[in-house]
Amino acid sequence: MNQWPGLKLRVTEGWDEDGHHSEESLHYEGRAVDITTSDRDRNKYGMLARLAVEAGFDWVYYESKAHIHCSVKSEHSAAAKTGGCFPAQALATLESGAKIPVWALKPGQRVRAVDEQGRPTYSEFLTFLDKAPSARTAFHVVETQDPPRRLALTAAHLLFVGANATAPIEAIFASRVQPGQYVLVTEGGELRPAKVTAVSVRMDTGAYAPLTRDGTLVVDGVAASCFALVQEHRLAQWAFWPLRLYHSLAGGRWTRLEAGVHWYSALLYRLGRLLLAPESFHPLATAQFDS
């Protein structure tokens, strides 16, 4: 029986492209909606919430007096399960100058990267720290105009950023990059700062986290860290020293990752939770490893 003849369901927000929600919001994954009745009668919201539960939503609550928030679990969502990655079709540059999608990288290939002194170099690709070929993933897209570059990476991935063109560069989470800041881009074989003109969020299929010997990688013309979840690039590079040594001794035979999170990354995270302050981690770290 229709208790409210003539009324319609009103969706006030679903997919968020403007970054108005918190970093871990399911609005970025298309898994959350804010709803009201078409007449916006708040007396009906209690029944509306009960109907949403019966419809199968996993989480329903009064987020504000203006609407009901409804969402579904993200157990298959790479936004929650993937720490730091690039889309499958993001391009790395080989030493030969050829561009190759990150999913196609093979151990032993040398790709464009950044050395400890911030200079362009070519670094050996070792393995993937995370690999989700078919996952639908939320990526933060960082854009520059001079020169034009567009890099997509997950929220918890580390990106090298400066407050202005001459400020020191530091590694911060992609979800914290803002227009007006500067990233390092390649142009004519050199690295230079470029002003961020736009930051957005989009969905894509596939998520890959390559590890190089230098712990850095140039993807789609922008320099990025290989690491994620903990906002300490140098600490992460130091912590992965045993894996780099292991790879050298094993010749890459035992470090190839078919899918999922690399066992060494998971081990380091568990140790980090014991040794580091909670605020050192990105909010998505808990969703990835503790769920």
Side-chain angles (χ1 to χ4, degrees), residues 2 8 34 48 51 112 128 176-177 189 247 285:
N2 186 352
K8 296 180 180 180
D34 298 332
L48 182 61
L51 292 173
R112 186 172 291 172
F128 289 106
R176 295 178 182 170
V177 177
H247 182 277

Side-chain angles (χ1 to χ4, degrees), residues 6 9-10 35 55 59 69 75 99-100 104 122 133 135 157 160-161 185 198-199 207 210 228 238 269 280 282 287:
L9 179 66
R10 176 174 174 265
I35 61 175
W59 182 246
H69 173 88
E75 61 267 17
K99 296 187 182 299
I100 182 174
Y122 286 92
H157 204 112
F160 299 118
V161 175
V185 303
V199 179
W238 175 82
Y269 172 79
S280 299
H282 192 277

Side-chain angles (χ1 to χ4, degrees), residues 124 126 211 213 237-252 255 264:
E124 181 187 2
L126 304 179
L211 175 66
R213 192 166 295 279
Q237 175 69 350
W238 175 82
F240 274 90
W241 174 82
L243 183 61
R244 293 194 297 275
L245 176 63
Y246 182 60
H247 182 277
S248 297
L249 297 176
T255 56
Y264 191 79

Side-chain angles (χ1 to χ4, degrees), residues 109-275:
Q109 290 180 316
R110 289 172 58 82
V111 295
R112 186 172 291 172
V114 182
D115 67 15
E116 290 183 357
Q117 286 72 43
R119 300 172 301 195
T121 188
Y122 286 92
S123 186
E124 181 187 2
F125 167 66
L126 304 179
T127 188
F128 289 106
L129 298 180
D130 201 345
K131 187 175 180 181
S134 59
R136 290 288 293 169
T137 308
F139 292 96
H140 285 249
V141 182
V142 178
E143 299 182 58
T144 66
Q145 289 184 351
D146 183 23
R149 300 287 186 269
R150 178 180 294 177
L151 174 67
L153 66 175
T154 45
H157 204 112
L158 293 178
L159 186 62
F160 299 118
V161 175
N164 54 58
T166 59
I169 297 295
E170 61 177 348
I172 69 172
F173 295 129
S175 59
R176 295 178 182 170
V177 177
Q178 299 292 329
Q181 294 177 321
Y182 282 72
V183 294
L184 291 177
V185 303
T186 55
E187 187 176 41
E190 299 295 326
L191 280 170
R192 75 172 186 86
K195 188 176 183 178
V196 176
T197 56
V199 179
S200 59
V201 179
R202 68 174 171 85
M203 300 295 293
D204 208 336
T205 299
Y208 293 78
L211 175 66
T212 67
R213 192 166 295 279
D214 284 86
T216 62
L217 185 68
V218 173
V219 177
D220 290 330
V222 182
S225 170
C226 291
F227 308 118
L229 299 180
V230 178
Q231 194 166 292
E232 290 291 343
H233 170 79
R234 288 187 176 85
L235 176 62
Q237 175 69 350
W238 175 82
F240 274 90
W241 174 82
L243 183 61
R244 293 194 297 275
L245 176 63
Y246 182 60
H247 182 277
S248 297
L249 297 176
R253 289 172 296 172
W254 308 109
T255 56
R256 293 172 185 159
L257 183 68
E258 295 300 324
V261 178
H262 197 287
W263 64 267
Y264 191 79
S265 297
L267 174 63
L268 283 183
Y269 172 79
R270 301 295 183 189
L271 291 175
R273 295 294 277 185
L274 296 175
L275 302 174

